[in-house]
Amino acid sequence: FPRQKFDDKALEKVKMLRKMFPEKDIIADGGVKAENLIKIKKSGATGVVIGSGIFDGNVKENLEKIKKELKE
């Protein structure tokens, strides 16, 4: 569903899945933006799918924000 809002309840689900399946990849999808990347990573996700977080608004600025968050 395009332009979903990220639901923080998903973080708890990722943490639960990480404990159950420590060797598996867990990918977060839906409402992922620069502002929530760190929370998602810390919850145990190994990857993200970013759509509107890149393409809504200024693509170059959004990519720079994402790069900055991933470096921290």
Side-chain angles (χ1 to χ4, degrees):
F1 301 103
R3 292 169 184 75
Q4 292 177 351
K5 183 177 179 199
F6 184 76
D7 187 347
D8 282 335
K9 290 183 234 174
L11 299 173
E12 292 304 316
K13 291 179 181 179
V14 171
K15 288 177 187 177
M16 177 189 69
L17 288 169
R18 175 58 49 223
K19 287 179 184 175
M20 294 171 62
F21 305 102
E23 72 288 349
K24 298 289 185 182
D25 286 331
I26 300 171
I27 311 299
D29 182 9
V32 178
K33 299 183 182 326
E35 295 80 25
N36 54 27
L37 277 175
I38 299 304
K39 292 191 294 189
I40 295 168
K41 184 177 179 181
K42 285 182 179 179
S43 73
T46 55
V48 294
V49 176
I50 306 174
S52 61
I54 294 173
F55 296 107
D56 281 358
N58 185 308
V59 172
K60 186 175 179 180
E61 286 178 12
N62 291 340
L63 286 171
E64 289 301 321
K65 287 179 190 176
I66 290 167
K67 287 179 191 177
K68 181 181 175 195
E69 288 297 318
L70 290 174
K71 287 181 182 177
E72 293 181 8

